[in-house]
Amino acid sequence: MATCKGTFTALLMCFALIKSTQADLCGNVIYSPAYKTCCNGVLSHEWKGSCCGTVAYDRAYKTCCNGVLSHEWKGSCCGTVAYDRAYKTCCNGVLNQEWGSSCCGTVAYDRAYNKCCNGVLNQEWGSSCCGTVAYDRAYNKCCNGVLNRTWERSCCGTVAYNPAFKRCCNGVLC
């Protein structure tokens, strides 16, 4: 294995050799990319195809997550941890041991049974959010972020009311 260091003439000869033989340079060592892998200036003596930092690895058998090599293939990364999406969910960098179709902050959940309102997970399902609370529009009214448990359909400030019986004057019932 030749090295590319020394005089200017030696460097020129080195680069001419690289160009004519499909070789490459790793640090200051000439190598063949068909047989070896160079990872950030560190030469691996086998061809692996991928790099994780300075370590060469084969993607078919291992996973690299943000510079940390997992010794088994998982397919996805959550921060520096490799995981299988079929069984776990990564929510904003936190790995959840159970699978969920969506994330609410750092928690995985199933949309069919829960509702996420502004980063707060509600255990009961509701069609809409009022601040951080899930609610059903058929039975409740959200007025400027305040949930009113009433059938009234209009808002006056934060209060729900029936315009057939009351009036709203500058955000106050009158």
Side-chain angles (χ1 to χ4, degrees), residues 11-174:
L11 287 172
L12 287 177
M13 288 176 49
C14 184
F15 288 116
L17 177 65
I18 289 171
K19 190 173 182 178
S20 68
T21 62
Q22 303 282 324
D24 210 339
L25 191 61
C26 184
N28 49 356
V29 176
I30 300 171
Y31 77 104
S32 172
Y35 302 103
K36 298 183 182 208
T37 305
C38 180
C39 296
N40 295 315
V42 176
L43 187 63
S44 169
H45 294 288
E46 299 175 43
W47 183 85
K48 299 285 186 175
S50 297
C51 293
C52 188
T54 58
V55 178
Y57 76 102
D58 188 335
R59 281 190 201 176
Y61 303 104
K62 297 179 181 182
T63 305
C64 180
C65 297
N66 294 317
V68 176
L69 188 62
S70 171
H71 292 286
E72 50 189 271
W73 184 86
K74 298 285 187 174
S76 297
C77 293
C78 186
T80 59
V81 178
Y83 76 102
D84 188 337
R85 283 189 197 184
Y87 304 105
K88 297 179 182 180
T89 304
C90 182
C91 295
N92 296 314
V94 175
L95 187 60
N96 289 262
Q97 297 304 315
E98 59 280 334
W99 180 86
S101 60
S102 298
C103 290
C104 185
T106 59
V107 178
Y109 75 102
D110 188 338
R111 283 191 200 181
Y113 304 104
N114 304 109
K115 179 85 171 172
C116 182
C117 295
N118 295 316
V120 175
L121 186 61
N122 289 263
Q123 296 303 318
E124 65 269 353
W125 187 88
S127 61
S128 298
C129 289
C130 185
T132 59
V133 179
Y135 76 102
D136 188 337
R137 286 178 152 188
Y139 304 104
N140 301 285
K141 180 73 174 167
C142 183
C143 295
N144 296 315
V146 175
L147 185 62
N148 291 262
R149 300 203 183 270
T150 180
W151 291 77
E152 308 297 346
R153 297 291 121 214
S154 295
C155 289
C156 183
T158 59
V159 178
Y161 77 104
N162 185 337
F165 301 108
K166 296 183 181 176
R167 280 186 350 178
C168 183
C169 303
N170 295 321
V172 178
L173 289 175
C174 53

